[in-house]
Amino acid sequence: MTAVDVRRLAAGTLMPGFVGTSAPAWLLDAFDDGLAAVCLFGTNLVSWEQLGELCAQLRERAPQALLSVDEEGGDVTRLHYLAGSNQPGNAVLGRIDDAHATSSAAAAIGSELAAFGINLNLAPDADVNSADENPVIGVRSFGADPQHVARHTVAWVEGLQQAGVAACAKHFPGHGDTTSDSHLALPRVSASAQTLAGRELLPFRAAAAAGVASIMTSHIVVDALDPDNPATFSKIVLQDVLRGQLGFDGAVVTDALDMVGASGEIGIPAAAVRALAAGADLLCIGSETTAEEYQAVLDGVVAAVASGALPLARLWDAANRVARLAADFPARGGAYAGALSGAAIPDPAAIRSTFQFSRDAQGWLEDVSPAAVVQLETETNYAVGTVPWGPAATGRTVPVEGVVPGQKVAIAGRGLDAGHPAWVLADDLRSAGHNTIVVECGWPRGGADIVTYGASLAVSVALVDLLM
C-alpha cells in the first residue's frame, strides 16, 4: 500500500468541524483527498436558507460523505440553534413514556435533517442520568431507570433511522453517573462492574441489538472496566466490552477530541492515534478545526502507521466501517422548508402533563392575579451552547424591574442548586408582596415549585401558556 493510500485511509476516519457559514477551501480539498465526514455545529448556521446552501455546497463536492450534526432535540439542537428546538427532548419524552411518541419525535428530527442532506445524527443520548447534579447530561437523558432509558433509546433510534438518517447512541459506556463535564475535565465513574452491567451498559446493549448504526465513546474513566484509560482510548472498553460483550458491529464514533477529557494533556493528533488504536473508527475532531489542525491530525495518524504505533489493519478496518456507514445511509436532499414547517410536535398538553408541581405552585396557578415571568440567565454546558431557552425564548418574559405591584411572579432558571440567585430573588419578591414561585427548566435538584425537565422552545411554549 502506497503512502498516498495510507493517507486516504487516514482521511477516511476523520470528521472535522470548521469555522464559518460556508465550506472553507481546505475542507473541500480534503474531500478530494479521502475525507469521509464533516460535522456541522450551531455556529455554522445563520439561517435555514444559508444552511441549505452550505449543505448543497458540501454535497456537490462530496456526494457520498457523511454530514453530521448533534440534533438531540430538546436543549441540544443545531438545526434550531437560533430559536430553540421544536421537540421537547429526552427527559420530557421519557416522562410522557410513550414509545410511539419518542419514535415520532426522532422521525420528525430525521425528516428535517434528511431534507438538508444530513445523514448522520450524533444522537440519541443513551445515558442513564443517575446523578441529579450531573452538569452535562441531565435532561438529555430519558431518565434514571435503565430499562426505561433502554426502551426509549431503541424507539428513538428506530424513528430516526426509518427516516433515513444514521443514529449514534452516546456516550458509551455511560456518562450519567458523573459530576464533572468531560468538555472541561476527565470524569471518573467508580461504580462496580455489576452496577455498570445493569445500569450504564443496558441502553447501549439494547441499541446494539436494535441495529443502531453507530455508537459514540465518552472521555471518561470507568474504574471497573479500565482504570488506566479513558473509554475513548481503551481497547478493553471498545473492543472487549462494546464489540465483544455487546456484539456491536457498527461504526464507533468518538466524542470531540478537542475536549479536555481527551486531549487536554496530549494534544489532538496524539488523541486521534490513541482512539484509532483502541478501536474507534470515526474521529470527531472539534467544532473549530482549522486547516493546520486538520493536517496535524492527518500527519499524526500517517506517522503512527509508519512507526508501527497504529497497525495498518486497524486503520483499514476503521476507514471501511466509516465507508459502510455512509453507504448504508446515503444522503437524500429535499424541500427543507417543507420538512421544517411540517415537523410533528408533541401536544403541549402532553408536555405539560410531565411537569412536576408543588402545593405552592397549585395555589399560584389558581391565583387570578396578573402574571409576570422573569428569567434568570444561567451558565450552560458546551453541549447546549447558546441556544435560546426557557420562557425567554418565547418572548414573553419581563426583567425583574418590570414587575409591577399586584402581579404574581414566576422565576425561571435551570441548574437551580442551593447557591443559585433565583432563591434570593424569590425571597425579595415575596417580601415585596408578590405571590412568587420558582420554575426549574432542567433536571430537578430540589426546591423548585415547577419542574419542566427541559428548556426547549416546545417545552417553553407549553410552560408559558400555563403560567400566563
Side-chain angles (χ1 to χ4, degrees):
M1 183 172 286
T2 68
V4 172
D5 292 332
V6 173
R7 197 168 187 84
R8 288 190 68 87
L9 280 180
T13 69
L14 304 183
M15 184 168 64
F18 60 91
V19 176
T21 56
S22 61
W26 70 262
L27 182 70
L28 298 176
D29 292 343
F31 281 127
D32 295 340
D33 295 330
L35 180 65
V38 62
C39 190
L40 304 176
F41 293 84
T43 50
N44 300 125
L45 169 70
V46 294
S47 71
W48 285 327
E49 291 75 17
Q50 168 266 328
L51 179 62
E53 293 171 1
L54 170 59
C55 291
Q57 179 190 21
L58 293 167
R59 279 279 163 240
E60 182 178 1
R61 193 67 167 260
Q64 308 303 319
L66 289 164
L67 299 190
S68 77
V69 293
D70 272 304
E71 187 60 49
E72 298 177 13
D75 289 20
V76 176
T77 180
R78 303 296 178 250
L79 197 59
H80 298 274
Y81 199 75
L82 303 179
S85 177
N86 58 6
Q87 297 298 327
N90 284 6
V92 173
L93 290 169
R95 289 176 61 77
I96 292 173
D97 198 16
D98 179 344
H100 177 72
T102 297
S103 181
S104 295
I109 290 171
S111 295
E112 291 183 341
L113 297 179
F116 282 93
I118 295 167
N119 54 343
L120 171 60
N121 189 8
L122 304 178
D125 191 308
D127 297 308
V128 178
N129 197 64
S130 48
D132 289 344
E133 66 275 26
N134 194 313
V136 69
I137 304 302
V139 298
R140 301 168 67 193
S141 168
F142 288 111
D145 177 80
Q147 294 284 357
H148 182 86
V149 172
R151 184 169 66 255
H152 286 279
T153 295
V154 168
W156 213 100
V157 166
E158 291 176 346
L160 182 74
Q161 294 191 167
Q162 286 168 6
V165 177
C168 184
K170 60 188 182 186
H171 306 81
F172 188 80
H175 206 318
D177 190 28
T178 61
T179 55
S180 58
D181 183 349
S182 52
H183 292 87
L184 306 172
L186 179 59
R188 184 175 292 268
V189 174
S190 58
S192 69
Q194 183 177 4
T195 297
L196 289 170
R199 187 177 66 187
E200 273 75 13
L201 297 183
L202 197 65
F204 294 100
R205 185 183 298 276
V212 68
S214 60
I215 286 178
M216 178 181 284
T217 69
S218 60
H219 311 319
I220 62 174
V221 175
V222 183
D223 289 333
L225 301 179
D226 185 344
D228 299 320
N229 297 291
T232 299
F233 305 146
S234 171
K235 291 182 180 180
I236 296 171
V237 172
L238 300 187
Q239 297 186 30
D240 297 350
V241 179
L242 182 57
R243 296 288 189 207
Q245 295 179 24
L246 271 61
F248 177 64
D249 192 44
V252 176
V253 183
T254 71
D255 208 342
L257 294 179
D258 63 348
M259 294 163 60
V260 172
S263 59
E265 295 183 359
I266 62 174
I268 298 175
V273 171
R274 287 187 65 186
L276 284 167
D281 305 310
L282 181 59
L283 312 182
C284 182
I285 299 176
S287 62
E288 299 183 350
T289 310
T290 64
E292 294 75 19
E293 288 169 337
Y294 173 75
Q295 288 299 327
V297 174
L298 189 58
D299 290 344
V301 173
V302 172
V305 173
S307 71
L310 176 64
L312 178 60
R314 170 78 275 273
L315 180 63
W316 185 91
D317 176 60
N320 275 272
R321 287 182 187 276
V322 174
R324 187 177 71 187
L325 175 62
D328 288 345
F329 291 88
R332 58 176 181 84
Y336 61 82
L340 292 165
S341 62
I345 303 173
D347 179 8
I351 293 175
R352 282 194 294 271
S353 72
T354 69
F355 295 171
Q356 280 184 352
F357 299 92
S358 71
R359 184 174 301 174
D360 287 343
Q362 297 290 354
W364 190 95
L365 292 170
E366 293 168 3
D367 183 349
V368 297
S369 302
V373 181
V374 174
Q375 181 164 311
L376 295 184
E377 284 303 317
T378 306
E379 184 177 351
T380 187
N381 60 62
Y382 280 86
V384 173
T386 58
V387 179
W389 65 277
T394 73
R396 297 172 69 184
T397 58
V398 298
V400 66
E401 297 82 7
V403 176
V404 300
Q407 283 187 307
K408 61 181 183 178
V409 183
I411 301 171
R414 59 181 174 184
L416 300 180
D417 56 24
H420 197 283
W423 310 116
V424 174
L425 178 58
D427 288 340
D428 290 345
L429 287 168
R430 289 172 186 137
S431 297
H434 298 281
N435 184 0
T436 302
I437 58 171
V438 176
V439 181
E440 167 65 82
C441 296
W443 194 271
R445 300 192 180 196
D449 298 292
I450 299 177
V451 180
T452 65
Y453 288 87
S456 73
L457 183 60
V459 174
S460 301
V461 167
L463 170 65
V464 172
D465 286 348
L466 173 70
L467 298 177
M468 303 296 286

